[in-house]
Amino acid sequence: MDASAEKPRENWYDSFPGRGIVYDLSYTALSAPDKEGRLRAVVALGKTGDPRAVRPLIDLVADNDPVIRRGAIAALGDLRSGRPVEILIERLRDRNEQVDIRRLASDSLAAIRSTGALYGLREFSADTNEDPDLRSYVTALLGRTGTW
């Protein structure tokens, strides 16, 4: 085919593989001006099943907005990657974090079900210095997953 008949590319990097929805969603989740748009992008990242979505979601676990943190933690549970286990355990153990977010972190760890995730949940459940209600929740969660 004649080169002049080809459709010109807008950007030189458009021909590279890997560009697409995950990168667009990541950009929106990290930098959109409105919370609703960011949250929709966070939820969508969790539903992609794409491992490239893990890194931006890990970054969002520390977001200033608790709604975005909740969404990122839930999305990481949906992706079931072992990569965010450490950050999810940190969020679970963060006594300054809202209890519902700590509980959601335990749910995501249970969904991931890696050795590290389950070990972190068991360790948390056995820690008598932690919130007794949250410890009970984690113990029941481990029981429901059949890993206790």
Side-chain angles (χ1 to χ4, degrees), residues 101-118:
I101 292 177
R102 293 177 75 191
R103 190 174 291 211
L104 187 57
S106 69
D107 292 337
S108 290
L109 287 163
I112 292 169
R113 292 180 68 114
S114 71
T115 302
L118 297 174

Side-chain angles (χ1 to χ4, degrees), residues 25-144:
L25 289 171
S26 296
Y27 179 79
T28 301
L30 291 164
S31 61
D34 64 303
K35 179 169 49 174
E36 293 78 22
R38 291 182 68 210
L39 184 58
R40 281 193 303 273
V42 166
V43 170
L45 281 169
K47 293 187 183 314
T48 63
D50 192 320
R52 295 174 297 176
V54 173
R55 180 74 252 168
L57 289 170
I58 288 173
D59 293 342
L60 290 166
V61 167
D63 196 85
N64 290 331
D65 189 327
V67 173
I68 300 297
R69 287 197 307 271
R70 266 187 220 98
I73 290 168
L76 287 168
D78 291 342
L79 288 172
R80 296 196 167 115
S81 168
R83 288 178 23 218
V85 166
E86 188 176 317
I87 193 77
L88 291 171
I89 291 171
E90 287 174 16
R91 190 57 53 190
L92 172 61
R93 290 195 161 278
D94 184 353
R95 293 185 178 135
N96 296 319
E97 183 59 90
Q98 297 173 11
V99 173
D100 66 313
I101 292 177
R102 293 177 75 191
R103 190 174 291 211
L104 187 57
S106 69
D107 292 337
S108 290
L109 287 163
I112 292 169
R113 292 180 68 114
S114 71
T115 302
L118 297 174
Y119 178 80
L121 288 170
R122 286 187 197 112
E123 193 175 67
F124 179 86
S125 179
D127 187 348
T128 57
N129 294 320
E130 287 293 350
D131 177 297
D133 292 334
L134 191 53
R135 285 181 56 225
S136 294
Y137 180 82
V138 170
T139 301
L141 182 64
L142 285 166
R144 285 192 303 273

